[in-house]
Amino acid sequence: MLKKNMKWIVLGAIFILAIVNYADKIIVGITVNPIMADLSLDYGQWGIVGSSFYWLFSIGGIIGAAYSDKIGTAKMLAIMALIWTFAQSMSLFIMGLPLLLFSRILLGAGEGPFSAVAVSHLSKWFKPEQRGLAISILNLGNNVGKSVTAPLIVILMTTFNWRIAFFFFGIVSFVWFLAWLWIGRQKPAEEIIETKTTVNEIAATVEKLSFKESLKLFLTAKFIFTTLAIFFGTSAIAFTLSFNPAYLMNIRGFSAETAANIIAIGGLTGGLCAVLISLFSDKVFKKTKDFYLSRILFTSLCLILGGSSYIGYMYFQGTTLLIISMILINAFMVAMFSLAPQIVNSLNPQRRGLMYGTAMGIGSTAGIIAPLVYGYVLESFGNNLSGGFITVVFGFAAGIIICGIMLLIFGRQKAGGDAVQV
C-alpha cells in the first residue's frame, strides 16, 4: 500500500519544499521595513538586495538542472535543501549590507534549479495526463508558502526579530533534508519499466542531439515566447517578493499584519484556483490529445488574463477588491508556471532538466534586472512613490500580455519534438 501511494508521498514532500522555497523568497519583502531600518538602507540599496538573490539564480538553475540529469533529481533536491539551510542560518550574523547580499546570493544559487529539478522529478512519477495536476500542486506550494508563512514571518519578526525569522526557515530546510534521505531513495515502478524498454532509444536520441540541433530547439517560437513569458513572470515575482509588501504598507497604508493577510488570502485562494485550471487542462489533454489546445492555449490565456489582473491591481480600491485582484493574479500566473514547463519539455522530453532548466535560467535573469530597475524607477519618482509603483507594474504587465498574444499566434509552429506527449 505504501509503495502504491509513494508518488503522492513524493509529491507531498516536494510540495512542502516548495512552501519553504517561497517562504525563503518572500521573507525579505515581509521584513523590508525592519531590515532597512536596522541596516540603514534606502530603496536604491533595497533594489540591489532584491536583485542579489538572482545574481547566481540563472546560472545555478541551468547548471543544477542539467547536472541533475547526471546525478539524479533526488540527490539534487537534497543538495539544494542543505544550501538553503546554510544560507538562511547566516542571518544570525548579518550586521551590514555585504553579508546580507552574500546570504541572498548563496540562497539564489541554491534555489535556482528547484523548479526545473522538481518538475523533472515529478515527471518520473506521474503520467503525461496527470502532470498538469502534479505540477500545479507543486506550484500551489508556492502560494501556500505565501499564505501560511507570511503571517508566521510577521509573528516571528514582531516576537523576536527578522534574523530569527530567517533562521527558522533554515532549520525547516534541514528537517526536510533529513526526511528526504529516505523518501528520495524510493523509485517509481513505472520509470523502471519504461527505462528497460526504451533505454536504447533514449540513449540514441541523446547521443544524436548535437549543439546545432539543440540550438534549433532553443530558437523555436515555442521556446522563445515561453522563455519570455517566464522572464516577465519572474519580473512580476520579483515585484511580489521585494516590493509588493512595501506597496501595500507605504502606499496603500495597511499595517504589516493586514498586508500579510491580503497576500496570504490572495495567494492561497488563487493557488487553489490554479490547481483547478491545470486540472481542467489535463482533462482536455487526456480527452483530445491536442497539445496546442490543452497546454499552449491555456498558457496564453493565463498570461493575458494574469497581466490584465496586475493592471487592475493598481486601480482597485478597498481591501476586498485588492484581495480579488490578488486571487486572479495568483490563479492565472501560477497556472502559467504550471503549464509552461510542459511546452518547453515537449521539444526534447529525454532532456527535461536541460530544456526547462535553460528556459528558467534565461527567464530568471529578470530577477537580476527587475529589482534594480524597480529601485531606480521608485527613486526617480521622488515623493511620488505611487506613480513609481504604477509605472513598474504597467511595465511587466504589458510584457506578460504581449507574450501571451505571441504564444497564442505562433504556438502552432511545429518542431522536432512537438509530437511527443510530455
Side-chain angles (χ1 to χ4, degrees), residues 97-180:
L97 179 60
L99 195 54
L100 175 61
L101 291 176
F102 179 76
S103 68
R104 297 304 292 175
I105 292 170
L106 179 61
L107 183 65
E111 293 200 350
F114 173 72
S115 181
V117 174
V119 168
S120 181
H121 192 75
L122 290 176
S123 295
K124 300 173 182 177
W125 288 88
F126 290 86
K127 298 177 181 179
E129 62 269 21
Q130 296 177 318
R131 286 175 192 160
L133 174 62
I135 297 172
S136 68
I137 292 176
L138 163 66
N139 287 332
L140 178 62
N142 291 332
N143 287 72
V144 173
K146 185 189 308 181
S147 306
V148 175
T149 61
L152 177 60
I153 290 169
V154 172
I155 293 173
L156 291 170
M157 178 181 64
T158 54
T159 304
F160 302 100
N161 54 55
W162 63 269
R163 292 184 179 83
I164 295 297
F166 278 63
F167 179 70
F168 173 82
F169 289 102
I171 296 300
V172 174
S173 296
F174 185 69
V175 172
W176 186 92
F177 166 78
L178 295 177
W180 189 251

Side-chain angles (χ1 to χ4, degrees), residues 37 42 56 96 102 119-120 140 156 190 367 371 391 396 409:
D42 57 31
L56 293 181
F102 179 76
V119 168
S120 181
L140 178 62
L156 291 170
E190 293 82 1
T391 301
F396 66 71
I409 296 172

